[in-house]
Amino acid sequence: MVYHSTRSGATENTALNDHLQSNLDTLLLKQPNALVMITGDFNPNSTDLCLNDVTRPNGLHQIVHFKTRDSSILDWFLTKKPKLFDVSNYLKLVLQTATLY
């Protein structure tokens, strides 16, 4: 699970990308067919973190394609095996929770 602070900038974005890449390389070298999931609040609007910079080098796919905060997708769910996940129930939970407040 990742939390990327809204105060992060280019230096922290590079550090996050390097950290993810290094850990994925280590894992996939040992377990090439491992089920990889990286989730969290990446705050891309505040940090200018680019989804493609994280997903493309690692062969990851973002499977959350609906707004998770106001008018943005802040929460990413990245995986190498997107067909194994159904996030429609998550969307229902988000919408139900939003109506409680």
Side-chain angles (χ1 to χ4, degrees):
M1 182 123 207
V2 173
Y3 174 74
H4 194 51
S5 172
T6 56
R7 293 184 296 251
S8 298
T11 301
E12 292 82 8
N13 292 349
T14 300
L16 176 61
N17 282 334
D18 291 348
H19 176 74
L20 293 174
Q21 183 70 51
S22 174
N23 282 285
L24 282 171
D25 288 348
T26 300
L27 171 67
L28 295 174
L29 184 64
K30 295 177 184 177
Q31 298 291 327
N33 294 316
L35 176 59
V36 173
M37 298 176 296
I38 301 172
T39 66
D41 186 349
F42 287 80
N43 287 305
N45 293 347
S46 302
T47 63
D48 291 328
L49 183 66
C50 179
L51 179 64
N52 286 334
D53 290 345
V54 177
T55 58
R56 191 171 296 136
N58 301 303
L60 298 170
H61 303 273
Q62 160 67 311
I63 62 172
V64 174
H65 299 286
F66 50 85
K67 297 171 185 159
T68 57
R69 173 75 180 216
D70 299 325
S71 62
S72 302
I73 300 174
L74 302 182
D75 303 317
W76 293 352
F77 188 117
L78 311 174
T79 183
K80 293 182 85 55
K81 299 181 182 185
K83 293 180 181 177
L84 294 180
F85 299 94
D86 176 9
V87 294
S88 62
N89 287 331
Y90 177 75
L91 175 59
K92 291 175 191 170
L93 178 61
V94 168
L95 294 174
Q96 288 171 351
T97 304
T99 60
L100 294 176
Y101 297 101

